[in-house]
Amino acid sequence: MSAETIGSRGFTYWRLRFQAWRGNRPFWGGLFTMIGGLPIAYLPYADMRLGNMTIAMSTTAGAGSLIIGVLLVTLGLTMWFQAVVRVFAGIAAIVLALVSIPVANIGGFVVGFLCALIGGGLSVSWAPGAPVEETAKDAAYEPVAQAAPVAEAAPAAETPMIKPLALPEQRAGEEADPNVHATENTIDANGGRNSAG
């Protein structure tokens, strides 16, 4: 078996793949939203047994709470697999969490409500990260390209120098700042924009 085959990939390979996948989407927002949908959908249909006594927590809106729970789980999966619509999915999760308070046993006994609310907020606030800059350590392992010999440039023809103008902020006797690019050919250069007044 060569090193390229799938069978030789260990735990570290799959952990790194999962971390890369998780970093490209609102993972925690989707997870909290799905966790919030489970008690909202389950609790109205659950019953608790204490000895010979059965306590049913069903309400008149059992179907409504089932729909809200299933939608929250669906929105959580949408946050994971369609990160483009994360803002819509997050806002919809927040609205469904708020609707679950009167419909589904105070939002799945507040646990489902809080999880769905936090998951929706995390999804709305998530933004993709900037690409990682290449560090000097990574550049040390790359092969260095051989530079072609540079021919000496011919001496440039004498051109008249443009004398920099003194700026109003410049004090008498100070040299002009080489980073300021105001010349005789410009009226007022301020960051590449001309002032109107």
Side-chain angles (χ1 to χ4, degrees):
M1 222 190 237
S2 71
E4 300 284 325
T5 61
I6 296 174
S8 66
R9 293 181 179 162
F11 174 73
T12 305
Y13 172 79
W14 293 109
R15 182 178 55 85
L16 292 174
R17 291 266 323 246
F18 175 70
Q19 285 179 352
W21 177 82
R22 188 183 69 192
N24 292 329
R25 62 204 75 247
F27 176 78
W28 294 108
L31 184 66
F32 274 106
T33 304
M34 286 188 283
I35 289 172
L38 294 177
I40 290 173
Y42 174 72
L43 289 177
Y45 294 100
D47 55 352
M48 190 167 59
R49 300 184 192 279
L50 297 173
N52 291 335
M53 184 172 58
T54 301
I55 300 172
M57 294 176 271
S58 62
T59 61
T60 57
S65 60
L66 180 66
I67 291 170
I68 291 172
V70 168
L71 284 175
L72 284 172
V73 170
T74 305
L75 287 171
L77 290 171
T78 302
M79 292 173 197
W80 277 5
F81 296 107
Q82 294 293 326
V84 177
V85 293
R86 67 187 180 278
V87 175
F88 167 76
I91 291 172
I94 291 170
V95 169
L96 286 172
L98 292 171
V99 169
S100 73
I101 291 175
V103 172
N105 290 341
I106 312 171
F109 294 119
V110 183
V111 174
F113 162 72
L114 287 177
C115 287
L117 197 65
I118 291 170
L122 287 173
S123 177
V124 169
S125 65
W126 183 84
V132 178
E133 295 287 329
E134 183 177 310
T135 61
K137 181 180 175 184
D138 295 337
Y141 293 111
E142 292 181 7
V144 178
Q146 294 291 334
V150 179
E152 287 190 31
E158 300 257 344
T159 57
M161 294 290 290
I162 298 175
K163 177 181 161 192
L165 290 176
L167 297 174
E169 299 88 22
Q170 185 177 353
R171 295 185 201 136
E174 275 188 4
E175 290 188 24
D177 185 10
N179 296 327
V180 178
H181 302 290
T183 62
E184 290 176 356
N185 297 340
T186 60
I187 297 171
D188 183 15
N190 182 10
R193 292 172 279 174
N194 292 330
S195 64

